[in-house]
Amino acid sequence: MTIAIICASHSDEILNANLARSPMIAEATVPLHLERDAASAALAYNRAIDATDADILIFAHHDVYLPRGWENLLARRLRELETHDTNWALYGPFGVGLDASHIGPVWSSSIGLIVGRVPTAPAQVQSYDEMVIVMRRSSGLRFDENLPGWHMYGTDIVTTARTKGLHAYAGALPTIHNDRYHDHLREDFVESYTAMRHKWRDHLPLRTPIIKISKSGLHLYKNRWQDYRSEKFRANMSVGIAHAPEYLASLCGWSDLTASA
């Protein structure tokens, strides 16, 4: 099983401070394929699918850090998954379960917490946080280039897989997301939300890590109101990105996942 990491990055500063410092990349254990200047995530990732030939494709944000041994733990998780579901197509460290629960231990700097429960077995999901999505090439999946921008493609690719009879899972794959605090949902997010509402109208509601996509669209306005009311509280939770990701991994006890693989 061969692995490649794919990243669409617009900032060498963020990339070099996070993803590129991951031991598997810094030590050239796993190749990193970079995409630049794409108009959308779908365009960037489809170009990368065509430009690489690995069996397992890891689409990762540039502000993610993968602790030492992460790739070995991933290989173990996928072997475990294969024993009970040969029809899997996608896997990730954080997703929204079919019951709307948040699954997968991920440290998020924007809220200063580990989010997601740790499942004892892979759990099927209806969406992913786009920070990391693992795809099996043999699934034949591709990202929808009609979907605008850089949001919702984690929900879109899972829904696409499920309509094809393929399965998406999240599991125990500790990951650091050194993300910045966002005070509210911006217009590019609204554009993606609207596109998803129209595309998947017959499959709604769908739950993303951020919002519920509903036929009425009222949850968009509800979330905006909640963001406004909770802005100061959420800002106080954020720890910023001053700490090196290695420190955050150590803080979580994730500095070396080799023993878990």
Side-chain angles (χ1 to χ4, degrees):
M1 179 179 68
T2 55
I3 298 175
I5 298 178
I6 292 164
C7 178
S9 177
H10 65 272
S11 170
D12 286 339
E13 180 182 1
I14 296 174
L15 175 69
N16 292 331
N18 294 280
L19 184 62
R21 290 172 67 163
S22 302
M24 73 177 80
I25 296 175
E27 298 168 10
T29 303
V30 176
L32 171 63
H33 176 91
L34 287 174
E35 286 289 336
R36 308 279 195 182
D37 302 320
S40 70
L43 286 167
Y45 287 166
N46 284 343
R47 287 194 320 217
I49 290 172
D50 294 336
T52 59
D53 58 7
D55 302 319
I56 302 297
L57 304 173
I58 303 168
F59 301 95
H61 283 185
H62 59 186
D63 58 1
V64 162
Y65 177 80
L66 308 173
R68 182 173 298 279
W70 192 94
E71 71 278 25
N72 298 322
L73 184 57
L74 171 64
R76 176 178 173 179
R77 296 290 183 250
L78 297 185
R79 288 195 300 269
E80 294 169 346
L81 181 58
E82 189 79 19
T83 62
H84 78 270
D85 187 353
T86 58
N87 212 31
W88 74 273
L90 301 163
Y91 190 85
F94 187 86
V96 179
L98 302 184
D99 61 355
S101 62
H102 286 188
I103 300 167
V106 169
W107 169 269
S108 172
S109 296
S110 65
I111 57 175
L113 293 171
I114 297 174
V115 294
R117 65 177 176 84
V118 183
T120 57
Q124 286 200 50
V125 297
Q126 59 182 294
S127 66
Y128 288 118
D129 186 301
E130 289 86 0
M131 62 169 187
V132 174
I133 299 173
V134 178
M135 177 188 290
R136 181 160 69 167
R137 179 183 291 276
S138 62
S139 69
L141 291 174
R142 294 180 71 84
F143 294 89
D144 183 359
E145 296 182 8
N146 292 314
L147 187 66
W150 299 86
H151 303 285
M152 301 282 182
Y153 61 88
T155 306
D156 183 70
I157 196 68
V158 172
T159 310
T160 298
R162 294 178 67 197
T163 60
K164 295 178 179 292
L166 302 172
H167 301 147
Y169 290 87
L173 197 60
T175 302
I176 302 293
H177 192 195
N178 213 15
D179 54 333
R180 289 169 167 80
Y181 164 71
H182 299 286
D183 54 357
H184 64 278
L185 303 178
R186 303 187 185 280
E187 290 308 312
D188 56 339
F189 186 95
V190 175
E191 183 182 10
S192 295
Y193 182 93
T194 302
M196 288 288 288
R197 276 185 60 224
H198 291 305
K199 178 178 179 179
W200 296 114
R201 173 166 292 275
D202 293 338
H203 297 264
L204 300 180
L206 293 169
R207 291 186 180 270
T208 81
I210 301 298
I211 196 171
K212 181 179 179 180
I213 307 174
S214 58
K215 288 186 178 181
S216 69
L218 291 177
H219 286 82
L220 179 62
Y221 301 100
K222 179 180 178 181
N223 273 57
R224 282 184 147 180
W225 174 244
Q226 289 174 338
D227 284 349
Y228 171 75
R229 295 189 63 186
S230 65
E231 184 176 339
K232 290 183 179 179
F233 175 77
R234 290 182 293 110
N236 288 335
M237 290 180 68
S238 173
V239 298
I241 57 172
H243 298 302
E246 294 92 335
Y247 170 78
L248 295 174
S250 177
L251 186 69
C252 299
W254 299 342
S255 56
D256 189 346
L257 302 178
T258 305
S260 300

